[in-house]
Amino acid sequence: SQQGEEDPQALSIQEGENATMNCSYKTSINNLQWYRQNSGRGLVHLILIRSNEREKHSGRLRVTLDTSKKSSSLLITASRAADTASYFCATGGAGSYQLTFGKGTKLSVIP
Amino acid sequence: EAGVAQSPRYKIIEKRQSVAFWCNPISGHATLYWYQQILGQGPKLLIQFQNNGVVDDSQLPKDRFSAERLKGVDSTLKIQPAKLEDSAVYLCASSGWTSGGGDTQYFGPGTRLTVL
């Protein structure tokens, strides 16, 4: 079974708007990562946040982590058509570097 | 830096046939992963190698799937015989200390397998 569950499953917004995706997980983690997957391609790493961190920024991306609620959110500000993709959260345990992926959120940014 | 290479990109076979996928990780990355991604789902880990040793293959259907990583570099994943439910994208990823730390995985483009 998959650890993370993203919400919503699909999201459609206009270019320039912000997009927020959420991820919930069940067991304790060492880190949580977000990946992007364009149609028919491999996954690209976006950002990693460790269990002792609460917020992290990278360019137009902002990730928060609430370990007490076992949840994370990914905010993409000022979205572009090129941000159209599926976004996956993946949780990492301690010591093994293994990742457990959720089912993803499919984001469509309309020009 | 060259990325993770995979071949072939696409493969169509009949059920009960065999198929093999190849992966070349980023140079210097000690850890290599094979994932199966069924349409509409997230990737599921099949097997993890550390150099040429298996770290975890608990989710690999060993009656039909096999994988090896000779010399701790390239890896092959084989399915024999294939079933209809094996239709998926097979992703290879690698991680290491050369960049991004050991936690970040770098993915190849994947092989899309269709079993008829």
Side-chain angles (χ1 to χ4, degrees), chain A residues 19-56:
Chain A
T20 300
M21 288 160 268
N22 303 297
C23 170
S24 59
Y25 57 92
K26 295 175 183 169
T27 61
S28 61
I29 62 171
N30 172 273
N31 65 83
L32 187 144
Q33 306 182 35
W34 287 89
Y35 285 78
R36 182 186 72 223
Q37 185 175 39
N38 293 91
S39 179
R41 300 198 180 177
L43 284 85
V44 174
H45 180 261
L46 296 177
I47 196 164
L48 179 154
I49 186 165
R50 299 200 181 277
S51 58
N52 61 352
E53 297 175 309
R54 292 297 167 256
E55 188 170 312
K56 207 158 182 183

PDB file of all heavy atoms in Angstrom, chain A residues 19-56:
ATOM      1  N   ALA A  19      -1.320  27.407  -6.871  1.00  0.00           N
ATOM      2  CA  ALA A  19      -1.827  26.043  -6.769  1.00  0.00           C
ATOM      3  C   ALA A  19      -1.346  25.436  -5.460  1.00  0.00           C
ATOM      4  O   ALA A  19      -0.153  25.520  -5.138  1.00  0.00           O
ATOM      5  CB  ALA A  19      -1.339  25.197  -7.933  1.00  0.00           C
ATOM      6  N   THR A  20      -2.267  24.834  -4.723  1.00  0.00           N
ATOM      7  CA  THR A  20      -1.907  24.183  -3.465  1.00  0.00           C
ATOM      8  C   THR A  20      -2.315  22.718  -3.513  1.00  0.00           C
ATOM      9  O   THR A  20      -3.452  22.389  -3.849  1.00  0.00           O
ATOM     10  CB  THR A  20      -2.600  24.856  -2.267  1.00  0.00           C
ATOM     11  OG1 THR A  20      -2.206  26.221  -2.210  1.00  0.00           O
ATOM     12  CG2 THR A  20      -2.208  24.155  -0.969  1.00  0.00           C
ATOM     13  N   MET A  21      -1.361  21.856  -3.193  1.00  0.00           N
ATOM     14  CA  MET A  21      -1.608  20.426  -3.123  1.00  0.00           C
ATOM     15  C   MET A  21      -1.229  19.929  -1.741  1.00  0.00           C
ATOM     16  O   MET A  21      -0.263  20.415  -1.154  1.00  0.00           O
ATOM     17  CB  MET A  21      -0.752  19.698  -4.169  1.00  0.00           C
ATOM     18  CG  MET A  21      -1.230  19.925  -5.582  1.00  0.00           C
ATOM     19  SD  MET A  21       0.040  19.595  -6.802  1.00  0.00           S
ATOM     20  CE  MET A  21       0.740  21.228  -6.985  1.00  0.00           C
ATOM     21  N   ASN A  22      -1.994  18.978  -1.249  1.00  0.00           N
ATOM     22  CA  ASN A  22      -1.757  18.460   0.094  1.00  0.00           C
ATOM     23  C   ASN A  22      -1.392  16.988   0.055  1.00  0.00           C
ATOM     24  O   ASN A  22      -1.766  16.257  -0.864  1.00  0.00           O
ATOM     25  CB  ASN A  22      -3.018  18.652   0.946  1.00  0.00           C
ATOM     26  CG  ASN A  22      -3.441  20.092   1.012  1.00  0.00           C
ATOM     27  OD1 ASN A  22      -2.721  20.939   1.524  1.00  0.00           O
ATOM     28  ND2 ASN A  22      -4.614  20.390   0.474  1.00  0.00           N
ATOM     29  N   CYS A  23      -0.669  16.583   1.078  1.00  0.00           N
ATOM     30  CA  CYS A  23      -0.244  15.192   1.182  1.00  0.00           C
ATOM     31  C   CYS A  23      -0.395  14.763   2.634  1.00  0.00           C
ATOM     32  O   CYS A  23       0.054  15.471   3.536  1.00  0.00           O
ATOM     33  CB  CYS A  23       1.210  15.071   0.738  1.00  0.00           C
ATOM     34  SG  CYS A  23       1.982  13.479   1.070  1.00  0.00           S
ATOM     35  N   SER A  24      -1.031  13.626   2.859  1.00  0.00           N
ATOM     36  CA  SER A  24      -1.106  13.070   4.210  1.00  0.00           C
ATOM     37  C   SER A  24      -0.431  11.709   4.204  1.00  0.00           C
ATOM     38  O   SER A  24      -0.434  11.006   3.196  1.00  0.00           O
ATOM     39  CB  SER A  24      -2.563  12.948   4.655  1.00  0.00           C
ATOM     40  OG  SER A  24      -3.295  12.113   3.768  1.00  0.00           O
ATOM     41  N   TYR A  25       0.152  11.358   5.333  1.00  0.00           N
ATOM     42  CA  TYR A  25       0.846  10.075   5.430  1.00  0.00           C
ATOM     43  C   TYR A  25       0.526   9.439   6.769  1.00  0.00           C
ATOM     44  O   TYR A  25      -0.083  10.068   7.638  1.00  0.00           O
ATOM     45  CB  TYR A  25       2.352  10.254   5.228  1.00  0.00           C
ATOM     46  CG  TYR A  25       3.001  11.218   6.193  1.00  0.00           C
ATOM     47  CD1 TYR A  25       3.552  10.789   7.397  1.00  0.00           C
ATOM     48  CD2 TYR A  25       3.078  12.580   5.897  1.00  0.00           C
ATOM     49  CE1 TYR A  25       4.147  11.672   8.274  1.00  0.00           C
ATOM     50  CE2 TYR A  25       3.674  13.464   6.765  1.00  0.00           C
ATOM     51  CZ  TYR A  25       4.196  13.012   7.946  1.00  0.00           C
ATOM     52  OH  TYR A  25       4.791  13.897   8.822  1.00  0.00           O
ATOM     53  N   LYS A  26       0.953   8.175   6.928  1.00  0.00           N
ATOM     54  CA  LYS A  26       0.461   7.428   8.088  1.00  0.00           C
ATOM     55  C   LYS A  26       1.512   7.141   9.154  1.00  0.00           C
ATOM     56  O   LYS A  26       1.197   7.114  10.341  1.00  0.00           O
ATOM     57  CB  LYS A  26      -0.151   6.102   7.608  1.00  0.00           C
ATOM     58  CG  LYS A  26      -1.382   6.290   6.743  1.00  0.00           C
ATOM     59  CD  LYS A  26      -1.891   4.985   6.184  1.00  0.00           C
ATOM     60  CE  LYS A  26      -3.071   5.243   5.261  1.00  0.00           C
ATOM     61  NZ  LYS A  26      -3.446   4.053   4.485  1.00  0.00           N
ATOM     62  N   THR A  27       2.751   6.878   8.748  1.00  0.00           N
ATOM     63  CA  THR A  27       3.750   6.495   9.742  1.00  0.00           C
ATOM     64  C   THR A  27       4.804   7.588   9.878  1.00  0.00           C
ATOM     65  O   THR A  27       4.867   8.516   9.071  1.00  0.00           O
ATOM     66  CB  THR A  27       4.419   5.173   9.346  1.00  0.00           C
ATOM     67  OG1 THR A  27       5.081   5.353   8.091  1.00  0.00           O
ATOM     68  CG2 THR A  27       3.390   4.058   9.204  1.00  0.00           C
ATOM     69  N   SER A  28       5.630   7.474  10.885  1.00  0.00           N
ATOM     70  CA  SER A  28       6.667   8.491  11.101  1.00  0.00           C
ATOM     71  C   SER A  28       7.670   8.473   9.949  1.00  0.00           C
ATOM     72  O   SER A  28       7.901   7.436   9.336  1.00  0.00           O
ATOM     73  CB  SER A  28       7.377   8.256  12.431  1.00  0.00           C
ATOM     74  OG  SER A  28       8.005   7.001  12.417  1.00  0.00           O
ATOM     75  N   ILE A  29       8.233   9.625   9.671  1.00  0.00           N
ATOM     76  CA  ILE A  29       9.113   9.765   8.515  1.00  0.00           C
ATOM     77  C   ILE A  29      10.416  10.454   8.895  1.00  0.00           C
ATOM     78  O   ILE A  29      10.513  11.119   9.928  1.00  0.00           O
ATOM     79  CB  ILE A  29       8.425  10.571   7.383  1.00  0.00           C
ATOM     80  CG1 ILE A  29       8.093  11.989   7.874  1.00  0.00           C
ATOM     81  CG2 ILE A  29       7.198   9.844   6.866  1.00  0.00           C
ATOM     82  CD1 ILE A  29       7.607  12.916   6.773  1.00  0.00           C
ATOM     83  N   ASN A  30      11.407  10.297   8.030  1.00  0.00           N
ATOM     84  CA  ASN A  30      12.673  11.020   8.154  1.00  0.00           C
ATOM     85  C   ASN A  30      12.639  12.276   7.298  1.00  0.00           C
ATOM     86  O   ASN A  30      13.196  13.316   7.666  1.00  0.00           O
ATOM     87  CB  ASN A  30      13.817  10.103   7.717  1.00  0.00           C
ATOM     88  CG  ASN A  30      15.139  10.825   7.622  1.00  0.00           C
ATOM     89  OD1 ASN A  30      15.469  11.403   6.589  1.00  0.00           O
ATOM     90  ND2 ASN A  30      15.899  10.817   8.704  1.00  0.00           N
ATOM     91  N   ASN A  31      12.007  12.166   6.129  1.00  0.00           N
ATOM     92  CA  ASN A  31      11.887  13.309   5.235  1.00  0.00           C
ATOM     93  C   ASN A  31      10.680  13.108   4.327  1.00  0.00           C
ATOM     94  O   ASN A  31      10.154  11.985   4.198  1.00  0.00           O
ATOM     95  CB  ASN A  31      13.153  13.496   4.395  1.00  0.00           C
ATOM     96  CG  ASN A  31      13.399  12.337   3.448  1.00  0.00           C
ATOM     97  OD1 ASN A  31      12.834  12.280   2.352  1.00  0.00           O
ATOM     98  ND2 ASN A  31      14.257  11.388   3.849  1.00  0.00           N
ATOM     99  N   LEU A  32      10.258  14.189   3.696  1.00  0.00           N
ATOM    100  CA  LEU A  32       9.170  14.139   2.732  1.00  0.00           C
ATOM    101  C   LEU A  32       9.629  14.910   1.501  1.00  0.00           C
ATOM    102  O   LEU A  32      10.212  15.991   1.624  1.00  0.00           O
ATOM    103  CB  LEU A  32       7.887  14.741   3.308  1.00  0.00           C
ATOM    104  CG  LEU A  32       6.624  14.605   2.448  1.00  0.00           C
ATOM    105  CD1 LEU A  32       5.406  14.382   3.336  1.00  0.00           C
ATOM    106  CD2 LEU A  32       6.433  15.793   1.535  1.00  0.00           C
ATOM    107  N   GLN A  33       9.373  14.341   0.338  1.00  0.00           N
ATOM    108  CA  GLN A  33       9.837  14.955  -0.894  1.00  0.00           C
ATOM    109  C   GLN A  33       8.668  15.127  -1.859  1.00  0.00           C
ATOM    110  O   GLN A  33       7.697  14.376  -1.811  1.00  0.00           O
ATOM    111  CB  GLN A  33      10.914  14.079  -1.543  1.00  0.00           C
ATOM    112  CG  GLN A  33      12.065  13.752  -0.610  1.00  0.00           C
ATOM    113  CD  GLN A  33      13.153  12.928  -1.255  1.00  0.00           C
ATOM    114  OE1 GLN A  33      13.456  13.087  -2.436  1.00  0.00           O
ATOM    115  NE2 GLN A  33      13.775  12.047  -0.485  1.00  0.00           N
ATOM    116  N   TRP A  34       8.799  16.118  -2.706  1.00  0.00           N
ATOM    117  CA  TRP A  34       7.835  16.322  -3.780  1.00  0.00           C
ATOM    118  C   TRP A  34       8.536  16.146  -5.119  1.00  0.00           C
ATOM    119  O   TRP A  34       9.648  16.647  -5.324  1.00  0.00           O
ATOM    120  CB  TRP A  34       7.211  17.713  -3.685  1.00  0.00           C
ATOM    121  CG  TRP A  34       6.231  17.849  -2.556  1.00  0.00           C
ATOM    122  CD1 TRP A  34       6.492  18.220  -1.274  1.00  0.00           C
ATOM    123  CD2 TRP A  34       4.822  17.610  -2.628  1.00  0.00           C
ATOM    124  NE1 TRP A  34       5.328  18.218  -0.534  1.00  0.00           N
ATOM    125  CE2 TRP A  34       4.290  17.863  -1.343  1.00  0.00           C
ATOM    126  CE3 TRP A  34       3.944  17.214  -3.645  1.00  0.00           C
ATOM    127  CZ2 TRP A  34       2.930  17.725  -1.042  1.00  0.00           C
ATOM    128  CZ3 TRP A  34       2.595  17.090  -3.353  1.00  0.00           C
ATOM    129  CH2 TRP A  34       2.100  17.337  -2.055  1.00  0.00           C
ATOM    130  N   TYR A  35       7.854  15.423  -6.011  1.00  0.00           N
ATOM    131  CA  TYR A  35       8.358  15.180  -7.360  1.00  0.00           C
ATOM    132  C   TYR A  35       7.302  15.607  -8.372  1.00  0.00           C
ATOM    133  O   TYR A  35       6.100  15.558  -8.103  1.00  0.00           O
ATOM    134  CB  TYR A  35       8.660  13.682  -7.575  1.00  0.00           C
ATOM    135  CG  TYR A  35       9.912  13.191  -6.897  1.00  0.00           C
ATOM    136  CD1 TYR A  35       9.922  12.918  -5.534  1.00  0.00           C
ATOM    137  CD2 TYR A  35      11.091  12.999  -7.615  1.00  0.00           C
ATOM    138  CE1 TYR A  35      11.075  12.455  -4.910  1.00  0.00           C
ATOM    139  CE2 TYR A  35      12.246  12.533  -7.005  1.00  0.00           C
ATOM    140  CZ  TYR A  35      12.225  12.264  -5.652  1.00  0.00           C
ATOM    141  OH  TYR A  35      13.378  11.805  -5.040  1.00  0.00           O
ATOM    142  N   ARG A  36       7.770  15.994  -9.551  1.00  0.00           N
ATOM    143  CA  ARG A  36       6.892  16.341 -10.660  1.00  0.00           C
ATOM    144  C   ARG A  36       7.099  15.345 -11.789  1.00  0.00           C
ATOM    145  O   ARG A  36       8.225  14.916 -12.055  1.00  0.00           O
ATOM    146  CB  ARG A  36       7.209  17.751 -11.165  1.00  0.00           C
ATOM    147  CG  ARG A  36       6.308  18.235 -12.298  1.00  0.00           C
ATOM    148  CD  ARG A  36       6.776  19.568 -12.842  1.00  0.00           C
ATOM    149  NE  ARG A  36       7.996  19.413 -13.616  1.00  0.00           N
ATOM    150  CZ  ARG A  36       9.034  20.234 -13.537  1.00  0.00           C
ATOM    151  NH1 ARG A  36       8.999  21.276 -12.725  1.00  0.00           N
ATOM    152  NH2 ARG A  36      10.104  20.041 -14.291  1.00  0.00           N
ATOM    153  N   GLN A  37       6.010  14.990 -12.452  1.00  0.00           N
ATOM    154  CA  GLN A  37       6.092  14.081 -13.588  1.00  0.00           C
ATOM    155  C   GLN A  37       5.277  14.657 -14.743  1.00  0.00           C
ATOM    156  O   GLN A  37       4.055  14.770 -14.659  1.00  0.00           O
ATOM    157  CB  GLN A  37       5.566  12.691 -13.227  1.00  0.00           C
ATOM    158  CG  GLN A  37       5.754  11.669 -14.345  1.00  0.00           C
ATOM    159  CD  GLN A  37       5.338  10.278 -13.911  1.00  0.00           C
ATOM    160  OE1 GLN A  37       4.352  10.095 -13.199  1.00  0.00           O
ATOM    161  NE2 GLN A  37       6.090   9.260 -14.334  1.00  0.00           N
ATOM    162  N   ASN A  38       5.980  15.024 -15.801  1.00  0.00           N
ATOM    163  CA  ASN A  38       5.297  15.450 -17.010  1.00  0.00           C
ATOM    164  C   ASN A  38       4.821  14.220 -17.766  1.00  0.00           C
ATOM    165  O   ASN A  38       5.373  13.131 -17.607  1.00  0.00           O
ATOM    166  CB  ASN A  38       6.232  16.298 -17.883  1.00  0.00           C
ATOM    167  CG  ASN A  38       6.561  17.616 -17.239  1.00  0.00           C
ATOM    168  OD1 ASN A  38       7.540  17.729 -16.518  1.00  0.00           O
ATOM    169  ND2 ASN A  38       5.725  18.600 -17.447  1.00  0.00           N
ATOM    170  N   SER A  39       3.809  14.404 -18.588  1.00  0.00           N
ATOM    171  CA  SER A  39       3.159  13.286 -19.258  1.00  0.00           C
ATOM    172  C   SER A  39       4.171  12.403 -19.969  1.00  0.00           C
ATOM    173  O   SER A  39       4.927  12.864 -20.816  1.00  0.00           O
ATOM    174  CB  SER A  39       2.129  13.821 -20.250  1.00  0.00           C
ATOM    175  OG  SER A  39       1.502  12.754 -20.919  1.00  0.00           O
ATOM    176  N   GLY A  40       4.165  11.125 -19.612  1.00  0.00           N
ATOM    177  CA  GLY A  40       5.004  10.168 -20.304  1.00  0.00           C
ATOM    178  C   GLY A  40       6.481  10.255 -20.006  1.00  0.00           C
ATOM    179  O   GLY A  40       7.296   9.676 -20.712  1.00  0.00           O
ATOM    180  N   ARG A  41       6.846  10.946 -18.944  1.00  0.00           N
ATOM    181  CA  ARG A  41       8.269  11.099 -18.634  1.00  0.00           C
ATOM    182  C   ARG A  41       8.579  10.636 -17.213  1.00  0.00           C
ATOM    183  O   ARG A  41       7.706  10.281 -16.439  1.00  0.00           O
ATOM    184  CB  ARG A  41       8.678  12.552 -18.810  1.00  0.00           C
ATOM    185  CG  ARG A  41       8.452  13.049 -20.223  1.00  0.00           C
ATOM    186  CD  ARG A  41       9.234  14.292 -20.480  1.00  0.00           C
ATOM    187  NE  ARG A  41       9.019  14.761 -21.842  1.00  0.00           N
ATOM    188  CZ  ARG A  41       9.533  15.863 -22.318  1.00  0.00           C
ATOM    189  NH1 ARG A  41      10.298  16.627 -21.552  1.00  0.00           N
ATOM    190  NH2 ARG A  41       9.310  16.226 -23.564  1.00  0.00           N
ATOM    191  N   GLY A  42       9.860  10.649 -16.888  1.00  0.00           N
ATOM    192  CA  GLY A  42      10.285  10.273 -15.540  1.00  0.00           C
ATOM    193  C   GLY A  42       9.984  11.369 -14.541  1.00  0.00           C
ATOM    194  O   GLY A  42       9.509  12.444 -14.885  1.00  0.00           O
ATOM    195  N   LEU A  43      10.237  11.069 -13.289  1.00  0.00           N
ATOM    196  CA  LEU A  43       9.972  12.023 -12.223  1.00  0.00           C
ATOM    197  C   LEU A  43      11.165  12.953 -12.011  1.00  0.00           C
ATOM    198  O   LEU A  43      12.310  12.525 -12.106  1.00  0.00           O
ATOM    199  CB  LEU A  43       9.674  11.292 -10.920  1.00  0.00           C
ATOM    200  CG  LEU A  43       8.292  10.660 -10.821  1.00  0.00           C
ATOM    201  CD1 LEU A  43       8.283   9.297 -11.461  1.00  0.00           C
ATOM    202  CD2 LEU A  43       7.847  10.568  -9.375  1.00  0.00           C
ATOM    203  N   VAL A  44      10.854  14.195 -11.675  1.00  0.00           N
ATOM    204  CA  VAL A  44      11.882  15.182 -11.394  1.00  0.00           C
ATOM    205  C   VAL A  44      11.739  15.633  -9.944  1.00  0.00           C
ATOM    206  O   VAL A  44      10.642  16.011  -9.519  1.00  0.00           O
ATOM    207  CB  VAL A  44      11.756  16.394 -12.342  1.00  0.00           C
ATOM    208  CG1 VAL A  44      12.735  17.485 -11.939  1.00  0.00           C
ATOM    209  CG2 VAL A  44      11.994  15.960 -13.780  1.00  0.00           C
ATOM    210  N   HIS A  45      12.843  15.591  -9.218  1.00  0.00           N
ATOM    211  CA  HIS A  45      12.827  16.001  -7.820  1.00  0.00           C
ATOM    212  C   HIS A  45      12.640  17.510  -7.709  1.00  0.00           C
ATOM    213  O   HIS A  45      13.316  18.278  -8.388  1.00  0.00           O
ATOM    214  CB  HIS A  45      14.143  15.592  -7.155  1.00  0.00           C
ATOM    215  CG  HIS A  45      14.227  15.972  -5.719  1.00  0.00           C
ATOM    216  ND1 HIS A  45      14.895  17.094  -5.283  1.00  0.00           N
ATOM    217  CD2 HIS A  45      13.724  15.380  -4.610  1.00  0.00           C
ATOM    218  CE1 HIS A  45      14.798  17.167  -3.969  1.00  0.00           C
ATOM    219  NE2 HIS A  45      14.101  16.140  -3.540  1.00  0.00           N
ATOM    220  N   LEU A  46      11.698  17.941  -6.861  1.00  0.00           N
ATOM    221  CA  LEU A  46      11.448  19.368  -6.668  1.00  0.00           C
ATOM    222  C   LEU A  46      12.048  19.879  -5.370  1.00  0.00           C
ATOM    223  O   LEU A  46      12.768  20.881  -5.362  1.00  0.00           O
ATOM    224  CB  LEU A  46       9.941  19.640  -6.671  1.00  0.00           C
ATOM    225  CG  LEU A  46       9.190  19.349  -7.971  1.00  0.00           C
ATOM    226  CD1 LEU A  46       7.705  19.595  -7.773  1.00  0.00           C
ATOM    227  CD2 LEU A  46       9.733  20.196  -9.107  1.00  0.00           C
ATOM    228  N   ILE A  47      11.729  19.226  -4.269  1.00  0.00           N
ATOM    229  CA  ILE A  47      12.122  19.773  -2.978  1.00  0.00           C
ATOM    230  C   ILE A  47      12.054  18.669  -1.927  1.00  0.00           C
ATOM    231  O   ILE A  47      11.221  17.759  -2.022  1.00  0.00           O
ATOM    232  CB  ILE A  47      11.225  20.977  -2.612  1.00  0.00           C
ATOM    233  CG1 ILE A  47      11.825  21.810  -1.495  1.00  0.00           C
ATOM    234  CG2 ILE A  47       9.815  20.529  -2.319  1.00  0.00           C
ATOM    235  CD1 ILE A  47      11.190  23.190  -1.367  1.00  0.00           C
ATOM    236  N   LEU A  48      12.937  18.744  -0.954  1.00  0.00           N
ATOM    237  CA  LEU A  48      12.970  17.799   0.162  1.00  0.00           C
ATOM    238  C   LEU A  48      12.857  18.582   1.453  1.00  0.00           C
ATOM    239  O   LEU A  48      13.535  19.607   1.632  1.00  0.00           O
ATOM    240  CB  LEU A  48      14.283  17.007   0.126  1.00  0.00           C
ATOM    241  CG  LEU A  48      14.546  15.955   1.218  1.00  0.00           C
ATOM    242  CD1 LEU A  48      15.501  14.893   0.686  1.00  0.00           C
ATOM    243  CD2 LEU A  48      15.137  16.568   2.481  1.00  0.00           C
ATOM    244  N   ILE A  49      12.016  18.125   2.369  1.00  0.00           N
ATOM    245  CA  ILE A  49      11.906  18.745   3.682  1.00  0.00           C
ATOM    246  C   ILE A  49      12.093  17.653   4.719  1.00  0.00           C
ATOM    247  O   ILE A  49      11.534  16.554   4.602  1.00  0.00           O
ATOM    248  CB  ILE A  49      10.553  19.502   3.842  1.00  0.00           C
ATOM    249  CG1 ILE A  49      10.530  20.267   5.158  1.00  0.00           C
ATOM    250  CG2 ILE A  49       9.362  18.561   3.705  1.00  0.00           C
ATOM    251  CD1 ILE A  49       9.410  21.305   5.226  1.00  0.00           C
ATOM    252  N   ARG A  50      12.927  17.923   5.710  1.00  0.00           N
ATOM    253  CA  ARG A  50      13.227  16.918   6.725  1.00  0.00           C
ATOM    254  C   ARG A  50      12.218  17.023   7.865  1.00  0.00           C
ATOM    255  O   ARG A  50      11.550  18.037   8.035  1.00  0.00           O
ATOM    256  CB  ARG A  50      14.663  17.090   7.231  1.00  0.00           C
ATOM    257  CG  ARG A  50      15.670  16.914   6.106  1.00  0.00           C
ATOM    258  CD  ARG A  50      17.058  16.594   6.581  1.00  0.00           C
ATOM    259  NE  ARG A  50      17.961  16.472   5.436  1.00  0.00           N
ATOM    260  CZ  ARG A  50      18.085  15.361   4.729  1.00  0.00           C
ATOM    261  NH1 ARG A  50      17.384  14.290   5.041  1.00  0.00           N
ATOM    262  NH2 ARG A  50      18.918  15.324   3.705  1.00  0.00           N
ATOM    263  N   SER A  51      12.153  15.973   8.656  1.00  0.00           N
ATOM    264  CA  SER A  51      11.128  15.889   9.694  1.00  0.00           C
ATOM    265  C   SER A  51      11.288  16.967  10.760  1.00  0.00           C
ATOM    266  O   SER A  51      10.331  17.288  11.469  1.00  0.00           O
ATOM    267  CB  SER A  51      11.136  14.500  10.342  1.00  0.00           C
ATOM    268  OG  SER A  51      12.403  14.215  10.895  1.00  0.00           O
ATOM    269  N   ASN A  52      12.485  17.544  10.897  1.00  0.00           N
ATOM    270  CA  ASN A  52      12.675  18.602  11.895  1.00  0.00           C
ATOM    271  C   ASN A  52      12.509  20.005  11.303  1.00  0.00           C
ATOM    272  O   ASN A  52      12.783  21.001  11.975  1.00  0.00           O
ATOM    273  CB  ASN A  52      14.054  18.477  12.548  1.00  0.00           C
ATOM    274  CG  ASN A  52      15.186  18.609  11.555  1.00  0.00           C
ATOM    275  OD1 ASN A  52      14.967  18.645  10.348  1.00  0.00           O
ATOM    276  ND2 ASN A  52      16.407  18.690  12.057  1.00  0.00           N
ATOM    277  N   GLU A  53      12.068  20.079  10.055  1.00  0.00           N
ATOM    278  CA  GLU A  53      11.820  21.357   9.406  1.00  0.00           C
ATOM    279  C   GLU A  53      10.319  21.567   9.251  1.00  0.00           C
ATOM    280  O   GLU A  53       9.547  20.604   9.156  1.00  0.00           O
ATOM    281  CB  GLU A  53      12.493  21.397   8.024  1.00  0.00           C
ATOM    282  CG  GLU A  53      14.011  21.275   8.093  1.00  0.00           C
ATOM    283  CD  GLU A  53      14.642  21.204   6.712  1.00  0.00           C
ATOM    284  OE1 GLU A  53      14.195  20.379   5.887  1.00  0.00           O
ATOM    285  OE2 GLU A  53      15.607  21.969   6.474  1.00  0.00           O
ATOM    286  N   ARG A  54       9.922  22.834   9.238  1.00  0.00           N
ATOM    287  CA  ARG A  54       8.492  23.150   9.138  1.00  0.00           C
ATOM    288  C   ARG A  54       8.126  23.771   7.799  1.00  0.00           C
ATOM    289  O   ARG A  54       6.988  23.632   7.340  1.00  0.00           O
ATOM    290  CB  ARG A  54       8.079  24.081  10.267  1.00  0.00           C
ATOM    291  CG  ARG A  54       8.132  23.421  11.622  1.00  0.00           C
ATOM    292  CD  ARG A  54       7.137  22.265  11.704  1.00  0.00           C
ATOM    293  NE  ARG A  54       7.376  21.442  12.879  1.00  0.00           N
ATOM    294  CZ  ARG A  54       7.970  20.251  12.808  1.00  0.00           C
ATOM    295  NH1 ARG A  54       8.392  19.770  11.643  1.00  0.00           N
ATOM    296  NH2 ARG A  54       8.145  19.530  13.908  1.00  0.00           N
ATOM    297  N   GLU A  55       9.083  24.455   7.192  1.00  0.00           N
ATOM    298  CA  GLU A  55       8.793  25.136   5.938  1.00  0.00           C
ATOM    299  C   GLU A  55      10.076  25.245   5.136  1.00  0.00           C
ATOM    300  O   GLU A  55      11.161  25.386   5.681  1.00  0.00           O
ATOM    301  CB  GLU A  55       8.248  26.543   6.231  1.00  0.00           C
ATOM    302  CG  GLU A  55       7.728  27.286   5.021  1.00  0.00           C
ATOM    303  CD  GLU A  55       6.989  28.556   5.413  1.00  0.00           C
ATOM    304  OE1 GLU A  55       6.142  28.486   6.313  1.00  0.00           O
ATOM    305  OE2 GLU A  55       7.272  29.595   4.800  1.00  0.00           O
ATOM    306  N   LYS A  56       9.887  25.150   3.791  1.00  0.00           N
ATOM    307  CA  LYS A  56      11.041  25.276   2.925  1.00  0.00           C
ATOM    308  C   LYS A  56      10.607  25.938   1.623  1.00  0.00           C
ATOM    309  O   LYS A  56       9.489  25.716   1.145  1.00  0.00           O
ATOM    310  CB  LYS A  56      11.647  23.907   2.646  1.00  0.00           C
ATOM    311  CG  LYS A  56      13.114  23.921   2.334  1.00  0.00           C
ATOM    312  CD  LYS A  56      13.718  22.563   2.595  1.00  0.00           C
ATOM    313  CE  LYS A  56      15.214  22.620   2.317  1.00  0.00           C
ATOM    314  NZ  LYS A  56      15.840  21.294   2.495  1.00  0.00           N
TER     315      LYS A  56
END
